[in-house]
Amino acid sequence: IRRMLNDPKAEALSKNFLPQWLNYRTLAVAAPGEPDFDESLRDAMIQETELFFDSVLRENKPVHELLQSNYTFLNERLALHYGILRVKGSHFRRVMLSEDSPRGGLLGNASVLTATSHAIRTSPVKRGKWILESFLGVSPPPPPPNVPDLEETEKGATTPLSMREKMASHRKNPVCAGCHSMIDPVGFALENFDQTGRWRNVDPSMDPIDVSGELPDGAK
């Protein structure tokens, strides 16, 4: 196995297997409504994920580093997107992260965070479903037909609803509640990341983001 991993052909694991497993191939055609999103940022997102996975594999790191690590791979373009200022140049290098950084591990990679979002907003449903399927091996049933869109405001109100309020209103439908009780808490855990994976503490309405949740078994 060590001999095979040292062969250049082993790159197929990060370039072919990885995007199939994590289902971020849609990033190639994603068009987030962000003025600073361009091809160089898209390519950098993909390269970070490939280099990180490849390093865990070739260096025989513990498997839990896929979810929690103290390093990642960045160039200046992606580092600025993350708010990390000490990286210069277009080439990628291993960057050690601060203890409080949210970037360590695949769940902090902009590639998967962008691929599991809509163009102009995040999607706790897409992200929650992605975590369940990719990491826990659980496939929620498909949504029933004619599921209504999320309500943007309460009837009679003028203030836009927060994402959590929209989802709470959506779950009032008994047909939707069962699956969402499993999907939503996991997806909301990533709400501090916006639709292109940048960190934020408030939502578009400038309200503090609540990432707490409770799983169906009562675990918080």
Side-chain angles (χ1 to χ4, degrees):
I1 291 173
R2 284 194 294 270
R3 179 179 58 80
M4 289 191 292
L5 287 176
N6 286 330
D7 191 288
K9 293 178 183 178
E11 288 185 359
L13 286 166
S14 56
K15 296 196 176 292
N16 294 322
F17 163 72
L18 186 64
Q20 290 182 55
W21 168 38
L22 298 180
N23 196 27
Y24 63 82
R25 283 181 164 169
T26 55
L27 181 61
V29 295
E34 295 285 337
D36 64 341
F37 187 88
D38 56 19
E39 290 304 312
S40 65
L41 182 57
R42 187 198 314 271
D43 292 343
M45 290 177 175
I46 294 172
Q47 195 162 351
E48 176 194 21
T49 303
E50 290 180 351
L51 288 172
F52 174 72
F53 176 79
D54 191 70
S55 74
V56 173
L57 201 66
R58 292 179 187 270
E59 297 168 26
N60 196 25
K61 298 283 190 178
V63 70
H64 63 73
E65 284 203 7
L66 292 173
L67 291 178
Q68 188 173 25
S69 69
N70 62 356
Y71 68 93
T72 188
F73 290 81
L74 301 173
N75 67 355
E76 184 175 2
R77 182 72 178 87
L78 187 57
L80 290 175
H81 187 70
Y82 288 167
I84 299 174
L85 304 179
R86 63 183 185 273
V87 179
K88 303 296 181 183
S90 60
H91 65 285
F92 273 78
R93 79 295 309 260
R94 187 191 299 259
V95 175
M96 301 306 294
L97 300 169
S98 60
E99 290 186 6
D100 60 347
S101 173
R103 294 296 166 189
L106 293 170
L107 297 181
N109 281 197
S111 59
V112 294
L113 293 165
T114 304
T116 53
S117 295
H118 296 302
I120 60 173
R121 66 168 176 83
T122 57
S123 174
V125 176
K126 290 181 70 174
R127 287 178 174 176
K129 183 174 182 289
W130 172 76
I131 291 175
L132 290 174
E133 292 181 336
S134 299
F135 292 98
L136 302 180
V138 176
S139 296
N146 304 317
V147 174
D149 293 332
L150 295 179
E151 296 288 345
E152 295 299 325
T153 60
E154 289 273 18
K155 290 182 179 179
T158 57
T159 305
L161 297 172
S162 69
M163 178 58 69
R164 187 173 284 274
E165 289 170 336
K166 292 175 187 177
M167 294 307 303
S169 177
H170 186 71
R171 285 195 302 272
K172 289 179 182 178
N173 185 338
V175 177
C176 304
C179 290
H180 280 283
S181 66
M182 175 171 56
I183 297 171
D184 294 358
V186 185
F188 272 115
L190 297 179
E191 267 295 278
N192 278 126
F193 297 105
D194 72 6
Q195 65 267 27
T196 58
R198 290 177 300 192
W199 184 262
R200 59 184 182 173
N201 292 310
V202 295
D203 65 17
S205 300
M206 301 306 293
D207 293 320
I209 292 174
D210 179 8
V211 295
S212 62
E214 184 174 321
L215 298 174
D217 64 358
K220 296 186 183 299

Coordinates of all heavy atoms in Angstrom, one line a residue, residues 44 47-52 55 59 70-80 82 84-97:
A44 N -8.9 27.5 -6.3 CA -8.2 27.4 -5.1 C -9.0 26.6 -4.0 O -8.4 25.9 -3.3 CB -7.9 28.9 -4.5
Q47 N -8.4 23.0 -4.9 CA -7.0 22.5 -4.6 C -6.8 22.4 -3.2 O -6.1 21.5 -2.7 CB -6.0 23.5 -5.3 CG -4.6 23.0 -5.3 CD -3.7 23.7 -6.3 OE1 -4.2 24.6 -7.1 NE2 -2.5 23.4 -6.3
E48 N -7.3 23.3 -2.3 CA -7.2 23.1 -0.9 C -7.7 21.7 -0.4 O -7.0 21.0 0.3 CB -7.9 24.2 -0.1 CG -7.9 24.0 1.4 CD -8.9 24.8 2.2 OE1 -9.9 25.2 1.6 OE2 -8.7 25.0 3.4
T49 N -8.8 21.4 -0.9 CA -9.4 20.1 -0.4 C -8.6 18.9 -0.9 O -8.4 18.0 -0.2 CB -10.9 20.0 -0.9 OG1 -11.6 21.1 -0.4 CG2 -11.6 18.7 -0.4
E50 N -8.2 19.0 -2.2 CA -7.4 17.9 -2.7 C -6.0 17.7 -2.0 O -5.6 16.6 -1.6 CB -7.1 18.1 -4.2 CG -8.4 17.9 -5.1 CD -8.1 18.2 -6.5 OE1 -7.0 18.7 -6.8 OE2 -9.0 18.0 -7.3
L51 N -5.4 18.8 -1.7 CA -4.1 18.8 -1.1 C -4.2 18.3 0.4 O -3.4 17.6 0.9 CB -3.4 20.2 -1.1 CG -2.9 20.6 -2.5 CD1 -2.4 22.1 -2.4 CD2 -1.7 19.7 -2.9
F52 N -5.3 18.8 1.1 CA -5.5 18.4 2.4 C -5.7 16.9 2.5 O -5.1 16.2 3.3 CB -6.6 19.2 3.1 CG -7.0 18.7 4.4 CD1 -6.2 19.0 5.5 CD2 -8.2 18.0 4.7 CE1 -6.5 18.5 6.8 CE2 -8.5 17.5 5.9 CZ -7.7 17.8 7.0
S55 N -2.6 14.9 1.8 CA -1.6 14.9 2.9 C -2.0 13.9 4.0 O -1.1 13.2 4.5 CB -1.5 16.3 3.5 OG -2.6 16.6 4.3
E59 N 0.7 10.8 4.3 CA 1.4 10.9 5.6 C 0.9 10.0 6.6 O 1.4 10.0 7.8 CB 1.4 12.3 6.0 CG 2.1 13.3 5.1 CD 1.9 14.7 5.4 OE1 1.6 15.0 6.6 OE2 1.9 15.6 4.5
N70 N -5.1 20.9 12.6 CA -4.6 22.2 13.0 C -3.8 22.8 11.8 O -3.0 23.8 12.0 CB -3.6 22.2 14.2 CG -2.4 21.3 13.9 OD1 -2.3 20.6 12.9 ND2 -1.5 21.2 14.9
Y71 N -4.1 22.4 10.6 CA -3.5 22.9 9.4 C -4.4 22.8 8.2 O -5.3 22.0 8.2 CB -2.1 22.2 9.1 CG -2.3 20.7 8.7 CD1 -2.4 20.4 7.4 CD2 -2.5 19.7 9.7 CE1 -2.7 19.1 7.0 CE2 -2.7 18.4 9.3 CZ -2.8 18.1 8.0 OH -3.0 16.8 7.6
T72 N -4.1 23.5 7.1 CA -4.7 23.3 5.9 C -3.7 23.8 4.8 O -2.6 24.1 5.1 CB -6.1 24.1 5.7 OG1 -6.7 23.7 4.5 CG2 -5.9 25.6 5.8
F73 N -4.2 23.9 3.5 CA -3.3 24.3 2.4 C -3.9 25.5 1.7 O -5.1 25.4 1.3 CB -3.1 23.1 1.4 CG -2.3 22.0 2.0 CD1 -2.9 21.0 2.8 CD2 -0.9 21.9 1.7 CE1 -2.1 20.0 3.3 CE2 -0.1 20.9 2.2 CZ -0.7 19.9 3.1
L74 N -3.2 26.6 1.7 CA -3.7 27.8 1.2 C -2.7 28.5 0.2 O -1.5 28.4 0.3 CB -4.0 28.8 2.3 CG -5.0 28.3 3.4 CD1 -5.0 29.3 4.6 CD2 -6.4 28.1 2.9
N75 N -3.3 29.3 -0.7 CA -2.5 30.4 -1.4 C -3.1 31.7 -0.9 O -4.0 31.8 -0.1 CB -2.5 30.2 -2.9 CG -3.9 30.4 -3.5 OD1 -4.9 30.6 -2.8 ND2 -4.0 30.3 -4.8
E76 N -2.5 32.8 -1.4 CA -2.9 34.1 -1.0 C -4.4 34.4 -1.3 O -5.1 34.9 -0.4 CB -2.1 35.2 -1.6 CG -2.4 36.6 -1.1 CD -1.4 37.6 -1.6 OE1 -0.6 37.3 -2.5 OE2 -1.6 38.8 -1.3
R77 N -4.9 34.0 -2.4 CA -6.3 34.2 -2.8 C -7.2 33.6 -1.8 O -8.2 34.2 -1.4 CB -6.5 33.7 -4.2 CG -7.9 33.9 -4.8 CD -8.1 35.4 -5.1 NE -9.4 35.6 -5.7 CZ -10.5 35.9 -5.0 NH1 -10.4 35.9 -3.7 NH2 -11.6 36.2 -5.6
L78 N -7.0 32.3 -1.5 CA -8.0 31.6 -0.6 C -7.8 32.1 0.8 O -8.8 32.2 1.6 CB -7.8 30.1 -0.7 CG -8.8 29.3 0.0 CD1 -10.2 29.6 -0.4 CD2 -8.5 27.8 -0.2
A79 N -6.5 32.4 1.2 CA -6.3 32.8 2.6 C -7.0 34.2 2.8 O -7.6 34.3 3.9 CB -4.8 33.0 2.8
L80 N -7.0 35.1 1.9 CA -7.7 36.4 2.1 C -9.2 36.1 2.1 O -9.9 36.8 2.9 CB -7.4 37.3 0.9 CG -6.0 37.9 0.9 CD1 -5.7 38.7 -0.4 CD2 -5.7 38.7 2.1
Y82 N -10.6 33.7 3.5 CA -10.8 33.2 4.9 C -10.4 34.2 5.9 O -10.6 33.9 7.1 CB -9.9 31.9 5.1 CG -10.3 30.7 4.4 CD1 -9.5 29.6 4.3 CD2 -11.6 30.6 3.8 CE1 -9.8 28.4 3.7 CE2 -12.0 29.4 3.2 CZ -11.1 28.3 3.1 OH -11.5 27.1 2.5
I84 N -7.3 35.2 6.5 CA -6.0 34.9 7.0 C -5.0 35.8 6.2 O -4.9 35.7 5.0 CB -5.7 33.4 6.8 CG1 -6.6 32.6 7.7 CG2 -4.2 33.1 7.2 CD1 -6.5 31.1 7.5
L85 N -4.2 36.6 6.8 CA -3.5 37.7 6.1 C -2.0 37.4 5.9 O -1.3 38.1 5.2 CB -3.6 39.0 6.9 CG -5.0 39.5 7.2 CD1 -5.0 40.8 8.0 CD2 -5.8 39.6 5.9
R86 N -1.5 36.3 6.5 CA 0.0 36.1 6.5 C 0.5 35.3 5.3 O 1.7 34.9 5.3 CB 0.4 35.4 7.8 CG -0.2 34.1 8.0 CD 0.3 33.5 9.4 NE -0.2 32.1 9.6 CZ -1.3 31.8 10.1 NH1 -2.2 32.7 10.4 NH2 -1.6 30.5 10.3
V87 N -0.4 34.9 4.4 CA 0.0 34.1 3.3 C 0.1 34.9 2.0 O -0.8 35.7 1.7 CB -1.1 33.0 3.0 CG1 -0.7 32.1 1.8 CG2 -1.3 32.1 4.3
K88 N 1.3 34.8 1.3 CA 1.5 35.6 0.2 C 1.9 34.8 -1.0 O 2.5 33.7 -0.9 CB 2.7 36.6 0.4 CG 2.5 37.5 1.6 CD 1.3 38.5 1.4 CE 1.1 39.4 2.6 NZ 0.0 40.3 2.4
G89 N 1.4 35.1 -2.2 CA 1.8 34.4 -3.4 C 0.7 33.5 -3.9 O -0.2 33.1 -3.1
S90 N 0.8 33.0 -5.1 CA -0.2 32.2 -5.8 C 0.0 30.7 -5.5 O -0.9 29.9 -5.7 CB -0.2 32.4 -7.3 OG 1.0 32.1 -7.8
H91 N 1.2 30.3 -5.0 CA 1.5 28.9 -4.8 C 0.9 28.4 -3.4 O 0.8 29.2 -2.5 CB 3.0 28.6 -4.8 CG 3.7 29.3 -3.6 ND1 4.0 30.7 -3.6 CD2 4.3 28.8 -2.5 CE1 4.7 31.0 -2.5 NE2 4.8 29.9 -1.8
F92 N 0.5 27.2 -3.4 CA -0.1 26.6 -2.2 C 1.0 26.1 -1.2 O 2.0 25.6 -1.7 CB -1.0 25.5 -2.6 CG -2.4 25.9 -2.9 CD1 -2.7 26.5 -4.1 CD2 -3.4 25.8 -1.9 CE1 -4.0 26.9 -4.4 CE2 -4.7 26.2 -2.2 CZ -5.0 26.8 -3.5
R93 N 0.7 26.3 0.0 CA 1.6 25.7 1.1 C 0.8 25.3 2.3 O -0.3 25.8 2.5 CB 2.7 26.8 1.4 CG 2.4 27.9 2.4 CD 1.3 28.9 1.9 NE 1.6 29.4 0.5 CZ 2.1 30.6 0.3 NH1 2.5 31.4 1.3 NH2 2.2 31.1 -0.9
R94 N 1.4 24.5 3.1 CA 0.8 24.1 4.4 C 0.8 25.2 5.3 O 1.8 25.9 5.5 CB 1.5 22.9 5.0 CG 0.8 22.3 6.2 CD 1.7 21.3 6.9 NE 2.0 20.2 6.0 CZ 1.5 19.0 6.1 NH1 0.5 18.7 7.0 NH2 1.8 18.0 5.3
V95 N -0.4 25.6 5.9 CA -0.5 26.7 6.8 C -1.0 26.2 8.1 O -2.1 25.5 8.2 CB -1.4 27.8 6.3 CG1 -1.7 28.9 7.3 CG2 -0.9 28.3 4.9
M96 N -0.3 26.4 9.2 CA -0.7 26.0 10.5 C -1.8 27.0 11.0 O -1.7 28.2 10.8 CB 0.4 26.0 11.5 CG 1.6 25.1 11.1 SD 1.0 23.4 10.9 CE 0.5 22.9 12.5
L97 N -2.8 26.5 11.6 CA -4.0 27.3 12.0 C -3.9 27.6 13.5 O -3.4 26.9 14.3 CB -5.3 26.6 11.7 CG -5.5 26.2 10.2 CD1 -6.6 25.3 10.0 CD2 -5.7 27.5 9.4

